[in-house]
Amino acid sequence: MESPRTDQWRTTAAWVRSRVQAHHEWFAQSLPMIASENLISPLSRELLASDFHDRYAEGHPGKRYYQGCRYIDEVELRCEELARTLFRADYADVRPISGTTANLGVLFALTKPGDTISVVNVAHGAHISSADFGAVGVRGLHRVEYPFDLQKMIVDVDGARKVIRDAKPKVAWFGQSVFLFPTPIDQLQDAFEEVGCAVVYDAAHVLGLIAGGQFQDPLRQGAHVVNGSTHKTLPGPQHGLVVAKPRDDKMRRKLDFGMFPGVLSNHHLHSMAALAVSLAEFLEFGEAYAQMVVRNAQVLGSALHSRGVKVLCAEHGFTKSHTLALDVAANGGGADRVEALEQANIIANKNLLPWDDPKKAMHPSGIRLGSQELTRLGMGPAQMEEVAQLIARVIVDHEDPAVVRTDVATLRRDFQSIHYCFTPDVAAYRYHKLVP
Ligand code: DSN
């Protein structure tokens, strides 16, 4: 007979499983609109639970520190090849286990403590990697910031050129987490060349839009390195990626060493395999997906604007990415309105706007929305009009979220499978139920 103690932990394990199941059921009735998230395909998801998860494979295919890597090596070589093909890159590293790890590995490769780096300010939408309290600070770098055009929500070209010329950074770093418009790095080429800096573009948010040819093409606009996470507009596993056109062999070797042994030990082989499948699927479906993501974001921006929601950059078409930034200061503030949206089963995040006090990150005036996951579920412009109406009822009209929630569920009922992938029919089952 089992002891009561054993029962206690067995019950706890079952309870954890039931909470995950509850989460699945909740999200199946919701509109997930956090700009950094997405749905992995069923085929990729299956590999996350494979035996690759249980193995070690430090080093490179054919030169491992562990035996047992015969098939892992084959998959990793193919994954690298798929990444080089998709991004038309000379170099690919598919080992980073997240976007921040990719950032850290690149910083470790291209800088030494005390070097200067030029970055976008976090208040202007940069990722926390660019902050003193993030990866840049961990590497002990001296940070200088580009001036930012708050009307156009992009780096100010003349100001950035001056910063680069004056500070002579070792690395000029770009990329944002509130990433509405392409960064004009092509116009900074003269400054990059004059100071001889490495140019790095953190593409986490827009990786799929770049791969799908719908945003900008940093590797052909002056960037040596593009890095980021692989689960936002590129709908792959929670993982990271570096692709590059290294300017010489020395940079190539440094990038390689920076990742391993620089910041990685083992590199999560199950998610590397899932990434390989996601990259293959993106080569097949990515262009159409990325086009629809951007179109949906623009339609959503326009529809929200016409319903009285203050969407940033109305005069510039709201966005050229998957992201919209809303100023809801006059509607109760970001924290208050995302709570109400969540009550209506519309999942979004509060966000600092450039003019907010950075110390008030928990009570900002903004909300960030992304169109990439609803697009993955098969929604198009007609649904964006409906989504805008649902959001405006909460944000502008302060309607009872419980009433809006029933209409959210009705809209969501017809959008249960994952699109732009090889096995759309399996999706609903995988997404709703844990495998028995
Ligand atoms: N923190 C993530 C985001 O939501 O943008 C990026 O890592």
Side-chain angles (χ1 to χ4, degrees):
M1 209 171 85
E2 288 177 339
S3 70
R5 186 181 160 82
T6 307
D7 279 348
Q8 180 189 346
W9 302 133
R10 188 190 299 278
T11 307
T12 302
W15 175 84
V16 172
R17 204 166 180 275
S18 79
R19 295 304 82 202
V20 175
Q21 178 68 47
H23 170 89
H24 282 201
E25 282 160 14
W26 180 28
F27 268 64
Q29 304 167 40
S30 300
L31 298 174
M33 300 191 70
I34 289 178
S36 50
E37 298 179 348
N38 213 324
L39 294 165
I40 193 171
S41 78
L43 206 55
S44 295
R45 189 182 289 273
E46 179 187 61
L47 300 183
L48 293 178
S50 70
D51 187 76
F52 273 31
H53 169 270
D54 305 316
R55 305 301 154 202
Y56 261 77
E58 289 172 359
H60 280 296
K63 287 177 278 178
R64 301 292 195 190
Y65 292 86
Y66 297 86
Q67 295 310 117
C69 297
R70 184 183 303 164
Y71 300 108
I72 292 166
D73 284 5
E74 285 183 22
V75 172
E76 189 164 320
L77 285 172
R78 182 58 64 91
C79 190
E80 288 172 357
E81 186 189 313
L82 287 163
R84 282 195 302 270
T85 304
L86 186 57
F87 292 95
R88 294 192 291 141
D90 301 336
Y91 173 95
D93 192 335
V94 297
R95 296 173 298 176
I97 59 172
S98 71
T100 296
T101 311
N103 291 350
L104 274 169
V106 171
L107 288 172
F108 197 79
L110 302 181
T111 63
K112 290 197 282 302
D115 283 347
T116 295
I117 187 168
S118 51
V119 293
V120 179
N121 187 328
V122 174
H124 298 153
H127 186 247
I128 52 172
S129 288
S130 300
D132 278 336
F133 52 78
V136 160
V138 168
R139 189 58 175 147
L141 303 177
H142 168 63
R143 242 165 25 94
V144 290
E145 288 167 3
Y146 312 115
F148 202 74
D149 183 330
L150 295 181
Q151 297 307 312
K152 297 183 182 160
M153 287 293 279
I154 55 171
V155 166
D156 175 78
V157 172
D158 291 339
R161 190 179 285 122
K162 181 164 172 14
V163 163
I164 292 166
R165 283 189 170 138
D166 290 351
K168 300 189 176 29
K170 191 82 170 286
V171 170
W173 188 277
F174 297 92
Q176 287 149 246
S177 293
V178 181
F179 212 163
L180 303 181
F181 298 99
T183 306
I185 52 172
D186 49 342
Q187 296 175 49
L188 295 169
Q189 193 66 35
D190 50 351
F192 300 148
E193 280 169 15
E194 194 178 308
V195 306
C197 57
V199 182
V200 179
Y201 183 108
D202 176 356
H205 266 265
V206 291
L207 200 62
L209 306 183
I210 290 170
Q214 305 303 313
F215 197 62
Q216 66 183 123
D217 190 355
L219 289 181
R220 268 144 291 276
Q221 293 177 321
H224 301 102
V225 182
V226 168
N227 38 282
S229 49
T230 57
H231 47 263
K232 297 183 168 80
T233 52
L234 187 96
Q238 292 260 351
H239 200 76
L241 178 75
V242 176
V243 286
K245 283 177 116 28
R247 60 183 163 208
D248 50 30
D249 271 355
K250 192 171 164 205
M251 185 184 261
R252 180 186 289 262
R253 280 197 305 277
K254 282 183 169 180
L255 286 170
D256 184 51
F257 190 83
M259 207 57 67
F260 174 84
V263 299
L264 278 177
S265 167
N266 198 34
H267 59 279
H268 297 193
L269 308 165
H270 56 311
S271 57
M272 181 275 294
L275 176 62
V277 167
S278 301
L279 293 172
E281 290 182 321
F282 209 86
L283 280 157
E284 178 84 11
F285 303 105
E287 187 179 344
Y289 171 67
Q291 264 173 12
M292 189 56 84
V293 167
V294 176
R295 172 120 195 270
N296 276 346
Q298 290 171 342
V299 170
L300 181 64
S302 169
L304 285 167
H305 179 71
S306 64
R307 286 172 173 79
V309 179
K310 193 167 170 191
V311 187
L312 265 56
C313 298
E315 59 283 14
H316 301 290
F318 307 105
T319 186
K320 285 197 170 165
S321 75
H322 60 307
T323 301
L324 294 169
L326 317 183
D327 181 349
V328 295
N331 308 102
D336 178 77
R337 288 299 86 196
V338 288
E339 284 285 339
L341 285 170
E342 186 183 281
Q343 291 302 313
N345 285 350
I346 300 170
I347 314 296
N349 68 278
K350 56 184 173 284
N351 218 100
L352 283 171
L353 296 179
W355 41 89
D356 284 341
D357 178 353
K359 291 195 212 72
K360 299 209 171 136
M362 293 304 284
H363 294 280
S365 17
I367 292 178
R368 186 184 65 166
L369 296 176
S371 63
Q372 74 293 339
E373 189 166 337
L374 298 185
T375 307
R376 184 79 158 152
L377 286 164
M379 293 193 188
Q383 287 74 41
M384 292 305 111
E385 298 278 354
E386 288 184 61
V387 170
Q389 194 169 26
L390 293 164
I391 292 174
R393 282 166 61 188
V394 176
I395 290 183
V396 181
D397 305 339
H398 285 234
E399 193 174 325
D400 179 0
V403 176
V404 179
R405 188 162 67 222
T406 58
D407 295 333
V408 166
T410 304
L411 170 62
R412 184 61 208 272
R413 201 170 298 140
D414 293 335
F415 295 92
Q416 291 295 325
S417 61
I418 300 171
H419 292 237
Y420 306 97
C421 61
F422 291 134
T423 49
D425 297 343
V426 189
Y429 172 73
R430 289 276 186 217
Y431 189 48
H432 286 295
K433 292 191 173 60
L434 294 178
V435 180

